[in-house]
Amino acid sequence: MPLSGKKNKPKYIFVTGGVASSLGKGIIASSLAKLLQSRGFSVTIQKLDPYLNVDPGTLNPYEHGECYVTEDGAETDLDLGHYERFLNTPTSQANNVTTGRIYYNVLNKERKGDFLGKTVQVIPHITDEIKQHIRLLGESGQYDIIITEIGGCVGDIESLPFLEAVRQLKWELGEKNMLTIHLTLVPYLKSAGELKTKPTQHSVKMLQESGIQPDIIVCRTEHPLPMDIRKKIALFCNVEVPSVIESIDADSIYEVPVNMANEKLDQRVLYMLDIYSGTDSDMRKWNNFLKVLKNPEHEVNIGLVGKYIELKDAYKSIVEAFIHGGVMNKCKVNLRWIHSEQVDAENVQELLGDLDGVLVAPGFGERGIEGKIQTVKFVRENNIPFFGICLGMQMAVIEYARHVLGWEDAHSTEMEPNAGHPVIDLMHDQQTVENKGGTMRLGAYACKIQEKTLARSIYGKAKISERHRHRWEFNNAYKEDFEKSGMVLSGTNPDTGLVEIIEIPTHPFFIGVQFHPELKSTVMNPHPLFVSFVKAALQKKMS
C-alpha cells in the first residue's frame, strides 16, 4: 500500500550506469517508476547531470539533444521528458541539477559567508549540497518513492562527487530506506557466440571502489540472459540471482515497462525496500496503447524540417508526440527527416511533394532559415497540412508577409536586425538581457483562443496553458495587416497580447504556435495538436 502516511520517510532509489553511455538509465528509471505508480505509489524521478554547465539552456542541441522545459520554467535534461511521458505528472526545477549548479550554489554561499570562514571542499560542502538537492523532493511530503538517476558512467571523474553523496546517504537514510540499481552492458561477441559478463564485473567493481554495492543489476543485452549467465553475474557482483535483471533490446521504449514487469523488477525493489504492496500493478491502459502502437491500421508520411536532424535527440519530444498522436489515430507516423539547409526553390517539390504533412521544427539562429521559408511557401500553396512550432511558426509569419502581403524585406530581427518589415521582433522584456542562460521566456503561460477557429476546435476550450522557450515574438505592429489579408491570429496571451497561435482558415490544416506543445504530450494524454495534425495528414492521404 502507498506510504502516504509516512510522508517524512520516503524511500530512495538510485540508478547508476556503467560500461557505456546511452544504455537507457532514463528509460529504466521511468519504467520502474511507472510500475510502482501503477501499484498506487506516488513516485517522482530526478536527474543529476555531471557536466559543469549550470543547466542545458545554453548547450547546442548537437551537444546534448533537446533542452526540456518544465512547467515552472526550468531548462533541464531531455530525460525529464521521458519521466513526464511515462508518469503523466509534471516535473520541476527540483527534478534536475548539474554539477555546475551545485558548485554555483556552494560558491554563492561562500561569497555570502555562510561557511563562517571554513575552507570550502568537495567533502563535505559539495556533497552536502548534492544531498540537500536529492532530499528536496522527499521533504515535500508529496512522494512515497524518489528515483534519482545519476548521469554519466561509473568511473567518470565528473560523477565522483555524486557517487560519494550516494554512499553517505546510505548511512544517513538508514537500512531499507534506499537501494542502488546499476545498469550495465552484457555484450554479445559474434565471433565467439557468447555473452560476456566481464565488462559488468569491472563496472560493478568500479562502483564498489566508490563505496557503493549495487542492490540490483540491470543488464542491457541484445540476447536473452540464460540462467548460468545470471548466476555468474550474481556470484561475481555480490547480489542474489533474482537481483540480476535482463533488459533486452525493445522495438519501442514503451515496451520496456512491460519487459521490466516480466522480469519482476518492481517486485524485487519493493521486497528490498521492505514495502508491502497489497495492489497488483494496473497496466491495462498502457498495454492498450502498446497494442495499437504495434498494430496500426494506417500509415502517414510526415516531413520534419529542421536544422539539427543529424542528432535525432534534438527533437526527442516532437518524435514521441508523433507516436502518441499516431496511436490516437490508429496510425503509424513515418517521419522523413529533412535538413532545412538543403531545401530551396528548385528541389522543394522533390523533397516535399509526396508527403502527407510537414512540421517545421523549432530552433535558433540564421542557419537553414531560407529553407524553412521555402518549405512553408510550398505547403501553403499546395494545401499540404502544416504545423509550425516556435521558430516554425515565425517562419510561417515571414513567408506570409513576403509572398502574400508582398513585403520582400520581411524578416526576424534575430537573423536580420535591420529588416525593413521586422514582423518577428525581440520581445520587449528581452531587449536589455545580456546573460543568455535562463533568461528567455520560459515555462507555462496562458493563452486565450478565439471562437470558431481551428485552434478552438482542436482544444475544445477558450483558455489553455502551454510551455514556452523563446526570445522573439510576432510583432503586433503588423497585426492588422495580417488579419486583413486572411491570416487569423487565433491565440493570444491575455496579459501581454503576445500572439501565440496563427492559422490560415482557407487552408485544409495550417497552424503555427509560439509555444512548445510537444513538451506536454504523454502516453496517457497525447497532445491534441499532434493528434489533430496526424488526423489531417491521414485525411489528405485518403482523399
Side-chain angles (χ1 to χ4, degrees):
M1 63 185 352
L3 308 174
S4 302
K6 301 180 180 180
K7 62 184 180 181
N8 293 324
K9 271 281 187 182
K11 305 283 188 173
Y12 290 85
I13 300 169
F14 296 92
V15 180
T16 61
V19 181
S21 58
S22 302
L23 292 182
K25 292 191 300 294
I27 302 301
I28 292 297
S30 301
S31 299
L32 174 59
K34 183 64 194 175
L35 293 173
L36 295 171
Q37 185 190 62
S38 72
R39 290 174 175 269
F41 295 101
S42 176
V43 189
T44 190
I45 318 175
Q46 60 183 347
K47 175 78 180 285
L48 306 183
D49 272 309
Y51 51 80
L52 285 172
N53 301 69
V54 173
D55 59 46
T58 56
L59 283 173
N60 188 308
Y62 287 128
E63 290 282 327
H64 210 67
E66 79 172 359
C67 175
Y68 190 83
V69 180
T70 60
E71 284 285 293
D72 62 352
E75 293 178 295
T76 68
D77 183 80
L78 62 80
D79 271 324
L80 270 71
H82 291 312
Y83 306 162
E84 290 199 9
R85 285 187 283 272
F86 276 60
L87 293 178
N88 199 35
T89 55
T91 54
S92 70
Q93 180 77 58
N95 291 76
N96 188 209
V97 70
T98 68
T99 296
R101 172 62 68 181
I102 295 293
Y103 274 84
Y104 183 84
N105 291 348
V106 169
L107 291 173
N108 278 340
K109 289 178 181 178
E110 185 271 334
R111 292 288 84 188
K112 289 189 288 185
D114 290 3
F115 300 123
L116 302 175
K118 288 186 178 294
T119 302
V120 179
Q121 296 176 290
V122 173
I123 302 171
H125 302 101
I126 296 299
T127 50
D128 282 353
E129 185 73 22
I130 293 170
K131 288 187 292 182
Q132 181 184 337
H133 201 94
I134 289 170
R135 289 174 176 269
L136 203 58
L137 289 165
E139 290 168 354
S140 71
Q142 299 178 45
Y143 305 106
D144 301 317
I145 300 167
I146 290 104
I147 300 176
T148 303
E149 176 194 348
I150 298 176
C153 278
V154 169
D156 294 345
I157 292 173
E158 296 93 335
S159 300
L160 289 176
F162 290 128
L163 295 178
E164 171 60 21
V166 173
R167 185 196 69 78
Q168 294 176 20
L169 277 170
K170 179 178 181 179
W171 305 105
E172 293 175 18
L173 293 170
E175 193 176 4
K176 301 289 187 180
N177 285 323
M178 72 161 275
L179 63 78
T180 302
I181 297 173
H182 189 56
L183 175 63
T184 182
L185 177 68
V186 180
Y188 179 79
L189 292 187
K190 192 174 181 181
S191 59
E194 290 180 327
L195 288 163
K196 291 296 183 181
T197 66
K198 193 61 71 177
T200 294
Q201 294 176 45
H202 282 299
S203 181
V204 170
K205 183 179 179 181
M206 199 166 288
L207 188 61
Q208 290 169 336
E209 288 174 359
S210 297
I212 299 170
Q213 165 63 45
D215 301 286
I216 295 172
I217 299 173
V218 178
C219 302
R220 181 72 186 270
T221 176
E222 296 175 347
H223 299 270
L225 292 181
M227 184 51 69
D228 63 324
I229 292 287
R230 295 185 191 230
K231 287 181 178 179
K232 185 176 181 181
I233 291 172
L235 177 65
F236 281 97
C237 297
N238 265 7
V239 298
E240 295 179 308
V241 175
S243 289
V244 179
I245 305 293
E246 172 191 289
S247 177
I248 199 160
D249 288 358
D251 293 331
S252 166
I253 60 172
Y254 300 113
E255 294 179 39
V256 179
V258 177
N259 293 346
M260 291 301 99
N262 293 337
E263 285 287 306
K264 299 182 171 56
L265 175 60
D266 55 327
Q267 290 183 30
R268 189 67 184 164
V269 164
L270 293 173
Y271 168 76
M272 298 189 81
L273 287 175
D274 196 26
I275 302 174
Y276 169 70
S277 174
T279 308
D280 290 332
S281 60
D282 183 1
M283 296 289 285
R284 285 174 295 180
K285 288 183 179 179
W286 193 273
N287 287 324
N288 288 338
F289 171 87
L290 273 180
K291 185 177 179 181
V292 178
L293 179 64
K294 292 180 178 180
N295 302 284
E297 296 176 7
H298 314 284
E299 285 190 29
V300 291
N301 299 309
I302 291 177
L304 192 157
V305 181
K307 58 166 88 175
Y308 312 114
I309 65 168
E310 295 91 339
L311 183 66
K312 304 295 190 287
D313 276 358
Y315 303 108
K316 191 63 179 173
S317 291
I318 291 175
V319 173
E320 300 306 317
F322 270 125
I323 293 173
H324 309 154
V327 167
M328 286 295 288
N329 286 283
K330 299 181 179 179
C331 176
K332 180 183 178 183
V333 177
N334 300 313
L335 287 180
R336 182 184 299 173
W337 298 83
I338 301 167
H339 203 299
S340 59
E341 281 190 294
Q342 297 172 354
V343 181
D344 56 40
E346 283 69 42
N347 66 10
V348 66
Q349 169 70 47
E350 179 187 348
L351 291 173
L352 308 178
D354 61 338
L355 291 171
D356 305 311
V358 173
L359 180 143
V360 175
F364 294 92
E366 61 183 347
R367 187 171 61 88
I369 289 303
E370 293 303 322
K372 290 189 175 187
I373 293 171
Q374 284 294 336
T375 295
V376 177
K377 182 175 186 291
F378 181 80
V379 297
R380 180 180 59 79
E381 293 177 345
N382 290 275
N383 289 329
I384 297 173
F386 166 78
F387 186 12
I389 297 177
C390 199
L391 184 67
M393 172 264 207
Q394 295 175 0
M395 293 305 100
V397 169
I398 294 169
E399 189 281 324
Y400 198 86
R402 289 183 183 180
H403 302 120
V404 177
L405 289 165
W407 301 336
E408 293 182 7
D409 58 356
H411 219 312
S412 166
T413 56
E414 179 182 5
M415 298 89 192
E416 179 49 70
N418 299 313
H421 286 82
V423 292
I424 303 296
D425 201 4
L426 193 63
M427 299 175 68
H428 180 72
D429 59 1
Q430 291 287 320
Q431 291 175 1
T432 58
V433 170
E434 293 183 4
N435 291 337
K436 298 299 182 187
T439 55
M440 283 186 273
R441 179 183 173 89
L442 293 165
Y445 287 88
C447 174
K448 185 177 181 181
I449 306 176
Q450 288 183 29
E451 293 182 5
K452 299 178 181 178
T453 58
L454 175 61
R456 184 69 170 266
S457 67
I458 290 171
Y459 280 98
K461 52 187 176 182
K463 291 183 179 179
I464 60 168
S465 173
E466 293 283 4
R467 298 181 197 176
H468 293 67
R469 185 175 184 250
H470 65 106
R471 295 186 194 279
W472 277 263
E473 65 170 322
F474 181 94
N475 188 342
N476 278 340
Y478 298 103
K479 189 174 181 180
E480 193 175 326
D481 298 288
F482 278 88
E483 290 176 329
K484 283 181 179 178
S485 66
M487 179 176 278
V488 174
L489 312 178
S490 56
T492 54
N493 181 281
D495 300 317
T496 64
L498 170 70
V499 173
E500 301 272 14
I501 308 174
I502 64 156
E503 54 188 75
I504 301 176
T506 55
H507 192 281
F509 188 100
F510 190 105
I511 193 163
V513 296
Q514 181 61 75
F515 46 81
H516 288 263
E518 71 274 16
L519 301 178
K520 294 185 74 168
S521 187
T522 70
V523 171
M524 294 296 106
N525 280 303
H527 198 285
L529 281 170
F530 281 88
V531 174
S532 299
F533 180 50
V534 173
K535 183 179 180 181
L538 188 57
Q539 288 172 343
K540 179 187 180 300
K541 182 174 184 178
M542 292 180 163
S543 63

